[in-house]
Amino acid sequence: MEKFPGAEEWVPRTGGIAKLAEALPSCRGCDLYQEAEQAVPGAGPARSRILMVGEQPGDVEDREGLPFVGPAGRLLDKALAEAGIDRQEIFLTNAVKHFRFEFRGKRRIHKTPAVGHIVACNPWLTRELAVVKPALVVVLGAVAARALLGTSFKVTEQRGRPVELPDGTAAIATVHPSSVVRSREYRRDFALLVDDLRAAAALLA
């Protein structure tokens, strides 16, 4: 992958969520801006108690400019409702702000972000956390876990357990809802996701 400078120089050091969203489209911190339709900022109340971090926008998110509005987002909505969490009270974002994909015919198929993309985009996530100041971060999937908890953290082994981010913020990890969408054991894996989200809600109770 071509070397890019990382997002630091494009991330505002002052201001709130609206200023971040306004600045994000100008980012040239990695190569993903070259092919994606747009950068997708985080969305939700600027003082949410829960901040959820996914991997990257998908095809639908890239076209609409909002996080978690595709199939994985619809499943997450269902899981949140079953866990008793109001999505409207959550700040939702991604570790990587542009959609990485490959073409299969005319379809754009998700491609996992490289480590360089995760590192390059991290200043955006760091600033979102600083602005929102959540009481709890819910880490959705391995890419988000790598961005926030390091390479040694294994979501499959440590999901649903209270942990801390390096700055001491409470966190809990679970799988990305897209993995449940694709699962051959949908009912089991959906129930496990709901259990993890209930554990997250209990941490704030």
Side-chain angles (χ1 to χ4, degrees), residues 169-184:
T169 302
I172 194 167
T174 187
V175 297
H176 195 284
S178 63
S179 70
V180 181
V181 171
R182 300 189 303 267
S183 175
R184 295 181 180 180

PDB file of all heavy atoms in Angstrom, residues 169-184:
ATOM      1  N   THR A 169     -11.186   4.370  30.094  1.00  0.00           N
ATOM      2  CA  THR A 169     -12.620   4.336  29.782  1.00  0.00           C
ATOM      3  C   THR A 169     -13.124   2.893  29.790  1.00  0.00           C
ATOM      4  O   THR A 169     -12.479   1.999  29.236  1.00  0.00           O
ATOM      5  CB  THR A 169     -12.892   4.950  28.399  1.00  0.00           C
ATOM      6  OG1 THR A 169     -12.411   6.288  28.379  1.00  0.00           O
ATOM      7  CG2 THR A 169     -14.387   4.947  28.084  1.00  0.00           C
ATOM      8  N   ALA A 170     -14.261   2.661  30.421  1.00  0.00           N
ATOM      9  CA  ALA A 170     -14.854   1.328  30.450  1.00  0.00           C
ATOM     10  C   ALA A 170     -15.247   0.896  29.040  1.00  0.00           C
ATOM     11  O   ALA A 170     -15.712   1.702  28.227  1.00  0.00           O
ATOM     12  CB  ALA A 170     -16.085   1.313  31.348  1.00  0.00           C
ATOM     13  N   ALA A 171     -15.059  -0.394  28.772  1.00  0.00           N
ATOM     14  CA  ALA A 171     -15.370  -0.918  27.439  1.00  0.00           C
ATOM     15  C   ALA A 171     -15.840  -2.359  27.539  1.00  0.00           C
ATOM     16  O   ALA A 171     -15.602  -3.047  28.546  1.00  0.00           O
ATOM     17  CB  ALA A 171     -14.150  -0.814  26.522  1.00  0.00           C
ATOM     18  N   ILE A 172     -16.507  -2.792  26.491  1.00  0.00           N
ATOM     19  CA  ILE A 172     -16.911  -4.183  26.366  1.00  0.00           C
ATOM     20  C   ILE A 172     -16.919  -4.502  24.880  1.00  0.00           C
ATOM     21  O   ILE A 172     -17.273  -3.653  24.056  1.00  0.00           O
ATOM     22  CB  ILE A 172     -18.288  -4.427  27.023  1.00  0.00           C
ATOM     23  CG1 ILE A 172     -18.564  -5.909  27.204  1.00  0.00           C
ATOM     24  CG2 ILE A 172     -19.404  -3.749  26.243  1.00  0.00           C
ATOM     25  CD1 ILE A 172     -19.757  -6.197  28.116  1.00  0.00           C
ATOM     26  N   ALA A 173     -16.487  -5.684  24.518  1.00  0.00           N
ATOM     27  CA  ALA A 173     -16.386  -6.060  23.106  1.00  0.00           C
ATOM     28  C   ALA A 173     -17.381  -7.152  22.758  1.00  0.00           C
ATOM     29  O   ALA A 173     -17.728  -7.996  23.591  1.00  0.00           O
ATOM     30  CB  ALA A 173     -14.964  -6.523  22.787  1.00  0.00           C
ATOM     31  N   THR A 174     -17.822  -7.125  21.517  1.00  0.00           N
ATOM     32  CA  THR A 174     -18.633  -8.198  20.967  1.00  0.00           C
ATOM     33  C   THR A 174     -18.332  -8.298  19.478  1.00  0.00           C
ATOM     34  O   THR A 174     -17.510  -7.539  18.956  1.00  0.00           O
ATOM     35  CB  THR A 174     -20.130  -7.963  21.236  1.00  0.00           C
ATOM     36  OG1 THR A 174     -20.873  -9.122  20.817  1.00  0.00           O
ATOM     37  CG2 THR A 174     -20.658  -6.732  20.499  1.00  0.00           C
ATOM     38  N   VAL A 175     -18.983  -9.232  18.811  1.00  0.00           N
ATOM     39  CA  VAL A 175     -18.748  -9.400  17.383  1.00  0.00           C
ATOM     40  C   VAL A 175     -19.394  -8.262  16.607  1.00  0.00           C
ATOM     41  O   VAL A 175     -20.292  -7.582  17.099  1.00  0.00           O
ATOM     42  CB  VAL A 175     -19.309 -10.746  16.882  1.00  0.00           C
ATOM     43  CG1 VAL A 175     -18.590 -11.912  17.551  1.00  0.00           C
ATOM     44  CG2 VAL A 175     -20.814 -10.836  17.107  1.00  0.00           C
ATOM     45  N   HIS A 176     -18.943  -8.069  15.393  1.00  0.00           N
ATOM     46  CA  HIS A 176     -19.596  -7.097  14.524  1.00  0.00           C
ATOM     47  C   HIS A 176     -20.914  -7.700  14.036  1.00  0.00           C
ATOM     48  O   HIS A 176     -20.972  -8.887  13.703  1.00  0.00           O
ATOM     49  CB  HIS A 176     -18.701  -6.767  13.333  1.00  0.00           C
ATOM     50  CG  HIS A 176     -19.122  -5.543  12.590  1.00  0.00           C
ATOM     51  ND1 HIS A 176     -20.198  -5.536  11.735  1.00  0.00           N
ATOM     52  CD2 HIS A 176     -18.627  -4.271  12.592  1.00  0.00           C
ATOM     53  CE1 HIS A 176     -20.351  -4.320  11.232  1.00  0.00           C
ATOM     54  NE2 HIS A 176     -19.402  -3.532  11.739  1.00  0.00           N
ATOM     55  N   PRO A 177     -21.995  -6.911  14.010  1.00  0.00           N
ATOM     56  CA  PRO A 177     -23.278  -7.476  13.588  1.00  0.00           C
ATOM     57  C   PRO A 177     -23.271  -8.076  12.185  1.00  0.00           C
ATOM     58  O   PRO A 177     -24.076  -8.947  11.883  1.00  0.00           O
ATOM     59  CB  PRO A 177     -24.248  -6.290  13.700  1.00  0.00           C
ATOM     60  CG  PRO A 177     -23.407  -5.086  13.865  1.00  0.00           C
ATOM     61  CD  PRO A 177     -22.132  -5.520  14.475  1.00  0.00           C
ATOM     62  N   SER A 178     -22.352  -7.631  11.334  1.00  0.00           N
ATOM     63  CA  SER A 178     -22.283  -8.213   9.991  1.00  0.00           C
ATOM     64  C   SER A 178     -21.949  -9.703  10.037  1.00  0.00           C
ATOM     65  O   SER A 178     -22.377 -10.468   9.169  1.00  0.00           O
ATOM     66  CB  SER A 178     -21.254  -7.471   9.134  1.00  0.00           C
ATOM     67  OG  SER A 178     -19.957  -7.605   9.675  1.00  0.00           O
ATOM     68  N   SER A 179     -21.191 -10.124  11.055  1.00  0.00           N
ATOM     69  CA  SER A 179     -20.864 -11.554  11.173  1.00  0.00           C
ATOM     70  C   SER A 179     -22.102 -12.371  11.520  1.00  0.00           C
ATOM     71  O   SER A 179     -22.204 -13.545  11.149  1.00  0.00           O
ATOM     72  CB  SER A 179     -19.771 -11.773  12.220  1.00  0.00           C
ATOM     73  OG  SER A 179     -20.255 -11.524  13.537  1.00  0.00           O
ATOM     74  N   VAL A 180     -23.045 -11.761  12.217  1.00  0.00           N
ATOM     75  CA  VAL A 180     -24.298 -12.452  12.541  1.00  0.00           C
ATOM     76  C   VAL A 180     -25.187 -12.524  11.299  1.00  0.00           C
ATOM     77  O   VAL A 180     -25.838 -13.536  11.049  1.00  0.00           O
ATOM     78  CB  VAL A 180     -25.019 -11.745  13.701  1.00  0.00           C
ATOM     79  CG1 VAL A 180     -26.312 -12.469  14.053  1.00  0.00           C
ATOM     80  CG2 VAL A 180     -24.116 -11.659  14.923  1.00  0.00           C
ATOM     81  N   VAL A 181     -25.193 -11.457  10.511  1.00  0.00           N
ATOM     82  CA  VAL A 181     -25.950 -11.455   9.259  1.00  0.00           C
ATOM     83  C   VAL A 181     -25.525 -12.630   8.381  1.00  0.00           C
ATOM     84  O   VAL A 181     -26.358 -13.303   7.767  1.00  0.00           O
ATOM     85  CB  VAL A 181     -25.751 -10.116   8.499  1.00  0.00           C
ATOM     86  CG1 VAL A 181     -26.361 -10.192   7.100  1.00  0.00           C
ATOM     87  CG2 VAL A 181     -26.354  -8.960   9.273  1.00  0.00           C
ATOM     88  N   ARG A 182     -24.230 -12.908   8.345  1.00  0.00           N
ATOM     89  CA  ARG A 182     -23.694 -13.972   7.482  1.00  0.00           C
ATOM     90  C   ARG A 182     -23.708 -15.347   8.129  1.00  0.00           C
ATOM     91  O   ARG A 182     -23.400 -16.343   7.477  1.00  0.00           O
ATOM     92  CB  ARG A 182     -22.248 -13.638   7.088  1.00  0.00           C
ATOM     93  CG  ARG A 182     -22.075 -12.341   6.324  1.00  0.00           C
ATOM     94  CD  ARG A 182     -20.657 -12.217   5.788  1.00  0.00           C
ATOM     95  NE  ARG A 182     -19.652 -12.308   6.841  1.00  0.00           N
ATOM     96  CZ  ARG A 182     -19.140 -11.275   7.486  1.00  0.00           C
ATOM     97  NH1 ARG A 182     -19.548 -10.054   7.204  1.00  0.00           N
ATOM     98  NH2 ARG A 182     -18.225 -11.444   8.411  1.00  0.00           N
ATOM     99  N   SER A 183     -24.031 -15.440   9.399  1.00  0.00           N
ATOM    100  CA  SER A 183     -23.851 -16.677  10.158  1.00  0.00           C
ATOM    101  C   SER A 183     -24.793 -17.792   9.709  1.00  0.00           C
ATOM    102  O   SER A 183     -25.970 -17.560   9.415  1.00  0.00           O
ATOM    103  CB  SER A 183     -24.077 -16.411  11.651  1.00  0.00           C
ATOM    104  OG  SER A 183     -24.021 -17.611  12.388  1.00  0.00           O
ATOM    105  N   ARG A 184     -24.270 -19.014   9.703  1.00  0.00           N
ATOM    106  CA  ARG A 184     -25.101 -20.194   9.461  1.00  0.00           C
ATOM    107  C   ARG A 184     -25.853 -20.598  10.713  1.00  0.00           C
ATOM    108  O   ARG A 184     -26.776 -21.406  10.654  1.00  0.00           O
ATOM    109  CB  ARG A 184     -24.224 -21.352   8.982  1.00  0.00           C
ATOM    110  CG  ARG A 184     -23.572 -21.107   7.624  1.00  0.00           C
ATOM    111  CD  ARG A 184     -22.742 -22.299   7.197  1.00  0.00           C
ATOM    112  NE  ARG A 184     -22.117 -22.073   5.891  1.00  0.00           N
ATOM    113  CZ  ARG A 184     -21.340 -22.954   5.270  1.00  0.00           C
ATOM    114  NH1 ARG A 184     -21.091 -24.124   5.849  1.00  0.00           N
ATOM    115  NH2 ARG A 184     -20.815 -22.671   4.093  1.00  0.00           N
TER     116      ARG A 184
END
